Coordinates of all heavy atoms in Angstrom, one line a residue:
G273 N -28.3 58.7 -1.8 CA -28.8 58.0 -0.6 C -29.9 57.0 -1.1 O -30.1 56.7 -2.3
T274 N -30.6 56.5 -0.1 CA -31.6 55.4 -0.3 C -32.8 55.8 -1.2 O -33.2 55.1 -2.2 CB -32.1 54.9 1.0 OG1 -31.1 54.4 1.7 CG2 -33.1 53.8 0.8
L275 N -33.2 57.0 -1.1 CA -34.4 57.4 -1.9 C -34.0 57.6 -3.4 O -34.7 57.3 -4.3 CB -35.0 58.8 -1.4 CG -35.6 58.8 -0.1 CD1 -36.2 60.1 0.4 CD2 -36.9 57.7 -0.1
V276 N -32.7 57.9 -3.7 CA -32.2 58.1 -5.0 C -32.1 56.6 -5.6 O -32.5 56.4 -6.7 CB -30.9 58.7 -5.1 CG1 -30.4 58.7 -6.5 CG2 -30.9 60.1 -4.5
Q277 N -31.7 55.7 -4.8 CA -31.8 54.2 -5.2 C -33.2 53.9 -5.6 O -33.3 53.2 -6.6 CB -31.3 53.4 -4.0 CG -29.9 53.3 -3.8 CD -29.6 52.2 -2.8 OE1 -30.3 51.9 -1.8 NE2 -28.5 51.6 -2.9
Y278 N -34.2 54.3 -4.9 CA -35.6 54.0 -5.3 C -36.0 54.5 -6.6 O -36.7 53.9 -7.5 CB -36.5 54.3 -4.1 CG -36.3 53.7 -2.8 CD1 -36.9 54.1 -1.7 CD2 -35.5 52.5 -2.7 CE1 -36.7 53.5 -0.5 CE2 -35.3 51.9 -1.5 CZ -35.9 52.4 -0.4 OH -35.6 51.8 0.8
V279 N -35.6 55.8 -6.9 CA -35.8 56.3 -8.2 C -35.1 55.6 -9.3 O -35.8 55.2 -10.3 CB -35.3 57.9 -8.2 CG1 -35.4 58.4 -9.6 CG2 -36.2 58.7 -7.2
Q280 N -34.0 55.2 -9.0 CA -33.2 54.4 -10.0 C -33.8 53.1 -10.2 O -33.9 52.5 -11.4 CB -31.7 54.3 -9.6 CG -30.9 55.6 -9.5 CD -29.7 55.5 -8.8 OE1 -29.5 54.8 -7.9 NE2 -28.7 56.5 -9.1
L281 N -34.3 52.4 -9.2 CA -35.0 51.1 -9.3 C -36.2 51.3 -10.1 O -36.5 50.5 -11.0 CB -35.3 50.6 -7.9 CG -36.2 49.4 -7.8 CD1 -35.5 48.2 -8.5 CD2 -36.6 49.0 -6.4
A282 N -37.0 52.4 -9.8 CA -38.3 52.5 -10.5 C -38.0 52.7 -12.0 O -38.7 52.2 -12.9 CB -39.1 53.6 -10.0
L283 N -37.0 53.6 -12.3 CA -36.6 53.8 -13.7 C -36.1 52.7 -14.5 O -36.6 52.4 -15.6 CB -35.6 55.0 -13.8 CG -36.0 56.4 -13.4 CD1 -34.8 57.2 -13.3 CD2 -37.0 57.0 -14.3
T284 N -35.3 51.8 -13.8 CA -35.0 50.5 -14.4 C -36.1 49.6 -14.7 O -36.1 49.1 -15.8 CB -33.8 49.9 -13.5 OG1 -32.8 50.8 -13.3 CG2 -33.4 48.6 -14.1
R285 N -37.0 49.6 -13.8 CA -38.2 48.6 -14.0 C -39.0 49.1 -15.1 O -39.7 48.3 -15.8 CB -38.9 48.5 -12.7 CG -38.3 47.6 -11.7 CD -39.0 47.6 -10.3 NE -38.6 46.6 -9.5 CZ -39.0 46.4 -8.3 NH1 -40.0 47.1 -7.7 NH2 -38.6 45.4 -7.5
A286 N -39.1 50.5 -15.3 CA -39.9 51.1 -16.3 C -39.3 51.0 -17.7 O -39.9 51.4 -18.7 CB -40.2 52.5 -16.0
G287 N -38.0 50.5 -17.7 CA -37.4 50.3 -19.0 C -36.4 51.5 -19.4 O -35.9 51.6 -20.5
Y288 N -36.0 52.2 -18.3 CA -35.0 53.3 -18.5 C -33.9 53.2 -17.5 O -33.8 53.8 -16.5 CB -35.7 54.8 -18.3 CG -36.9 54.9 -19.2 CD1 -38.2 54.5 -18.9 CD2 -36.7 55.5 -20.5 CE1 -39.3 54.6 -19.8 CE2 -37.7 55.7 -21.4 CZ -39.0 55.3 -21.0 OH -40.0 55.5 -21.9
P289 N -33.0 52.3 -17.8 CA -32.0 51.7 -16.8 C -31.2 52.9 -16.2 O -30.8 53.8 -16.9 CB -31.1 50.8 -17.8 CG -32.0 50.4 -18.8 CD -32.8 51.6 -19.1
A290 N -31.0 52.7 -14.8 CA -30.2 53.6 -14.1 C -29.4 52.9 -13.0 O -29.9 52.0 -12.5 CB -30.9 54.7 -13.5
K291 N -28.1 53.0 -13.1 CA -27.3 52.4 -12.0 C -27.7 52.6 -10.6 O -27.9 53.7 -10.3 CB -25.8 52.7 -12.2 CG -24.8 52.0 -11.3 CD -23.4 52.4 -11.5 CE -22.5 51.6 -10.7 NZ -21.1 52.1 -10.8
M292 N -28.0 51.5 -9.9 CA -28.6 51.7 -8.6 C -27.5 52.0 -7.5 O -27.4 51.2 -6.6 CB -29.5 50.6 -8.2 CG -30.9 50.7 -9.0 SD -31.8 49.2 -8.8 CE -31.5 48.3 -10.3
D293 N -26.8 53.1 -7.6 CA -25.7 53.4 -6.8 C -26.1 54.6 -5.8 O -25.3 54.9 -4.9 CB -24.5 53.9 -7.5 CG -24.8 55.0 -8.5 OD1 -25.9 55.6 -8.4 OD2 -23.9 55.4 -9.2
G294 N -27.4 55.1 -5.9 CA -27.8 56.1 -4.9 C -27.2 57.5 -5.2 O -27.4 58.4 -4.3
M295 N -26.6 57.6 -6.4 CA -26.1 59.0 -6.7 C -26.9 59.5 -7.9 O -27.0 59.0 -9.0 CB -24.6 58.7 -7.2 CG -23.7 58.0 -6.3 SD -23.3 59.0 -4.8 CE -22.2 60.1 -5.6
F296 N -27.5 60.7 -7.6 CA -28.3 61.4 -8.6 C -27.3 62.2 -9.5 O -27.2 63.4 -9.4 CB -29.3 62.3 -7.9 CG -30.5 62.8 -8.8 CD1 -31.6 63.2 -8.2 CD2 -30.4 62.8 -10.2 CE1 -32.7 63.6 -8.9 CE2 -31.5 63.2 -11.0 CZ -32.6 63.6 -10.3
G297 N -26.9 61.4 -10.5 CA -25.9 62.1 -11.5 C -26.5 62.2 -12.9 O -27.7 62.2 -13.1
K298 N -25.5 62.4 -13.9 CA -26.1 62.6 -15.2 C -26.8 61.4 -15.7 O -27.8 61.5 -16.5 CB -24.8 62.8 -16.1 CG -24.2 64.1 -15.8 CD -22.9 64.4 -16.7 CE -22.2 65.8 -16.4 NZ -21.2 66.0 -17.3
E299 N -26.4 60.1 -15.5 CA -27.0 58.9 -16.0 C -28.5 58.8 -15.5 O -29.4 58.6 -16.3 CB -26.3 57.7 -15.7 CG -27.0 56.4 -16.1 CD -26.2 55.2 -15.6 OE1 -25.0 55.3 -15.3 OE2 -26.9 54.2 -15.4
T300 N -28.6 59.0 -14.2 CA -29.9 59.0 -13.6 C -30.8 60.1 -14.2 O -32.1 60.0 -14.5 CB -29.9 59.1 -12.0 OG1 -29.2 58.1 -11.6 CG2 -31.3 59.1 -11.4
C301 N -30.2 61.3 -14.3 CA -31.0 62.5 -14.9 C -31.5 62.2 -16.3 O -32.7 62.4 -16.6 CB -30.1 63.6 -14.9 SG -30.9 65.2 -15.5
A302 N -30.5 61.6 -17.1 CA -31.0 61.2 -18.5 C -32.1 60.2 -18.5 O -33.0 60.3 -19.3 CB -29.7 60.7 -19.3
S303 N -32.0 59.2 -17.6 CA -33.0 58.1 -17.6 C -34.4 58.8 -17.1 O -35.4 58.4 -17.6 CB -32.6 57.0 -16.7 OG -31.5 56.3 -17.1
L304 N -34.3 59.7 -16.2 CA -35.5 60.3 -15.7 C -36.1 61.1 -16.8 O -37.4 61.1 -16.9 CB -35.2 61.2 -14.4 CG -36.3 62.0 -13.8 CD1 -37.3 60.9 -13.3 CD2 -35.8 62.9 -12.8
Q305 N -35.3 61.9 -17.4 CA -35.9 62.7 -18.5 C -36.5 61.9 -19.7 O -37.6 62.2 -20.2 CB -34.8 63.7 -19.2 CG -34.4 64.8 -18.1 CD -33.3 65.6 -18.7 OE1 -32.3 65.1 -19.3 NE2 -33.3 66.9 -18.5
A306 N -35.8 60.8 -20.0 CA -36.4 60.0 -21.0 C -37.8 59.3 -20.5 O -38.8 59.2 -21.3 CB -35.4 58.8 -21.3
F307 N -37.8 58.9 -19.2 CA -39.0 58.3 -18.6 C -40.2 59.4 -18.6 O -41.3 59.0 -19.0 CB -38.8 57.9 -17.2 CG -39.9 57.6 -16.4 CD1 -40.6 56.4 -16.7 CD2 -40.4 58.4 -15.4 CE1 -41.8 56.0 -15.9 CE2 -41.6 58.0 -14.6 CZ -42.2 56.9 -14.9
L308 N -39.8 60.6 -18.3 CA -40.9 61.6 -18.3 C -41.2 62.2 -19.6 O -42.3 62.9 -19.9 CB -40.4 62.8 -17.4 CG -40.2 62.4 -15.9 CD1 -39.5 63.6 -15.2 CD2 -41.6 62.0 -15.3
G309 N -40.4 61.9 -20.7 CA -40.6 62.5 -22.1 C -40.3 64.0 -22.1 O -41.1 64.7 -22.8
T310 N -39.4 64.5 -21.4 CA -39.1 66.0 -21.3 C -37.6 66.2 -21.1 O -36.9 65.3 -20.6 CB -39.9 66.6 -20.2 OG1 -39.6 67.9 -20.2 CG2 -39.6 66.0 -18.8
D311 N -37.2 67.4 -21.5 CA -35.8 67.8 -21.3 C -35.8 68.9 -20.2 O -34.9 69.6 -20.1 CB -35.1 68.2 -22.5 CG -35.8 69.4 -23.2 OD1 -36.9 69.8 -22.8 OD2 -35.3 69.8 -24.3
A312 N -36.9 68.9 -19.4 CA -36.9 70.0 -18.4 C -35.8 69.6 -17.4 O -35.4 68.5 -17.3 CB -38.4 69.9 -17.7
P313 N -35.5 70.6 -16.5 CA -34.5 70.3 -15.6 C -34.9 69.1 -14.6 O -36.0 68.9 -14.3 CB -34.5 71.7 -14.7 CG -35.0 72.6 -15.6 CD -36.0 72.0 -16.5
C314 N -33.8 68.3 -14.3 CA -34.0 67.1 -13.5 C -34.4 67.5 -12.1 O -33.8 68.2 -11.4 CB -32.7 66.3 -13.5 SG -32.5 65.2 -14.8
A315 N -35.6 66.8 -11.7 CA -35.9 66.9 -10.3 C -37.1 65.8 -10.1 O -37.8 65.4 -11.0 CB -36.6 68.3 -9.9

């Protein structure tokens, strides 16, 4: 949904590209973990 798009937009702007399709999948999870500097569960 739309909030997932916002996460993807923020990650992309921060230098961790994520496709802005609104789907919280593996690619978004990997970008989020890289952004946070952790391999903790995605949330």
